[in-house]
Amino acid sequence: AIDAFVFAEQYTKEITSKLEVFIHGFEASALGVGQTGTVTTYCQILGSSLGFAISPCRYLMATQGTLSLSITALYSATVAMWAQMMLLQIGKVFIFFLLPLGVLLRSIRFTRSAGGALIAIAVGFYIVYPLMVVADYALVKDDIFMDSATGIPPPYASIAIPPGPHHEQGACRGDAEYLSTLMNRSAFLEPMAYWVIIVSILLPVMNLLVTITFIRWLSSFIGSEIEVSQLARVV
C-alpha cells in the first residue's frame, strides 16, 4: 500500500516532468525555425553590381506564433502543477501546525469558532486534497500513462514536437515534416489541449474547489463558519 499523499506528490512530479520535456522540445523547434527562417542567400548578377536575395525558408516564420502560443500554454500548465505541488506541501505543514492549534483554540470558549475553522482547513488539505489528486490519476491514467501489461501506448501519452527545419545549400530541408506535424490533429492539437486544459488546469482547479467546499462543510459541522470566497482568495 502507498500513502495517498506520497502518490499524489509522485503523480504531480511526473506530470510536471513531462510538461518540462515538452517545453524544451518546443523551444528547440522554435529556435530552429527562427534560425532557418532568417537565412538569406544573396545572388550577384555576373559582371554587375546588381543582385537579389533569396530566403527559401522565410515562410516558416509565420508558424512562430503557433509555437510561441504552445510554449506559453505549456508554461502555464507547468505553473499550475507547481502550485498543486506547493499545496500538497502546505497540507503537510497544516496538519502539524494548524490542527494542534485548532484543537487548542477549540478548547477555549471564546475561540471555538476559529479553532473549528483551523481544524477544517488542516483536515481538508491533508486528507481531501491529496485524495482528489489521486482521483485525477484514476481519470487520466488510461489516456497518458503506458499500461505495462498491454504495452499499448495511450492516445495522449505525448505531444508530437515538430522537428526543427534547417537550411542546406540554398534550400529549406525538413519543412514538410515540420508543417505536417504542426497541423496533425491527433498527434499535436488534441494531445496539447488534453495536457494543458484537462490534466494541468481543469483538474487542479476542481481539486481546489472540492477541497474548499469540504472545508466549509466540515467547519459548519463542528460549529464554525468559513466564507468560501475569502478562503479562495487566501489560497
Side-chain angles (χ1 to χ4, degrees):
I2 186 171
D3 182 75
F5 228 107
V6 175
F7 188 90
E9 289 181 333
Q10 291 178 349
Y11 164 77
T12 304
K13 287 179 181 178
E14 187 166 355
I15 295 297
T16 304
S17 177
K18 287 192 174 185
L19 289 171
E20 290 173 348
V21 170
F22 297 152
I23 290 173
H24 294 326
F26 276 94
E27 286 178 341
S29 183
L31 181 62
V33 171
Q35 292 176 341
T36 304
T38 55
V39 173
T40 302
T41 302
Y42 183 77
C43 301
Q44 185 177 8
I45 299 177
L46 186 63
S48 70
S49 59
L50 301 177
F52 56 92
I54 300 176
S55 300
C57 304
R58 188 171 182 81
Y59 75 98
L60 294 176
M61 297 297 290
T63 64
Q64 283 282 53
T66 302
L67 292 178
S68 298
L69 182 61
S70 300
I71 293 172
T72 301
L74 289 171
Y75 267 117
S76 300
T78 305
V79 170
M81 298 311 295
W82 287 345
Q84 179 166 287
M85 178 60 72
M86 184 178 297
L87 287 175
L88 288 171
Q89 298 296 328
I90 289 175
K92 292 181 179 180
V93 176
F94 280 176
I95 201 65
F96 289 111
F97 290 95
L98 291 190
L99 185 60
L101 180 59
V103 173
L104 176 62
L105 295 178
R106 183 74 179 162
S107 63
I108 303 174
R109 179 180 179 182
F110 300 104
T111 57
R112 279 189 174 183
S113 179
L118 293 180
I119 292 173
I121 293 173
V123 172
F125 279 100
Y126 188 76
I127 297 179
V128 177
Y129 190 72
L131 288 177
M132 290 301 302
V133 178
V134 173
D136 292 349
Y137 168 79
L139 289 173
V140 304
K141 65 182 179 67
D142 293 334
D143 293 326
I144 63 176
F145 291 111
M146 176 78 73
D147 188 352
S148 57
T150 62
I152 301 175
Y156 305 131
S158 181
I159 302 174
I161 300 174
H166 61 280
H167 185 273
E168 182 180 342
Q169 297 180 352
C172 195
R173 308 294 183 186
D175 53 331
E177 183 181 1
Y178 165 78
L179 292 174
S180 64
T181 303
L182 198 62
M183 294 183 293
N184 192 310
R185 178 178 177 180
S186 60
F188 172 69
L189 298 177
E190 291 181 358
M192 174 68 73
Y194 190 85
W195 275 90
V196 172
I197 299 176
I198 304 297
V199 176
S200 305
I201 296 179
L202 179 61
L203 290 180
V205 170
M206 291 298 297
N207 297 341
L208 192 56
L209 289 177
V210 171
T211 302
I212 291 175
T213 302
F214 172 83
I215 291 173
R216 186 176 187 274
W217 171 83
L218 182 60
S219 64
S220 62
F221 180 77
I222 58 180
S224 181
E225 191 67 32
I226 297 179
E227 287 293 334
V228 174
S229 59
Q230 295 179 0
L231 182 60
R233 283 198 294 267
V234 171
V235 175

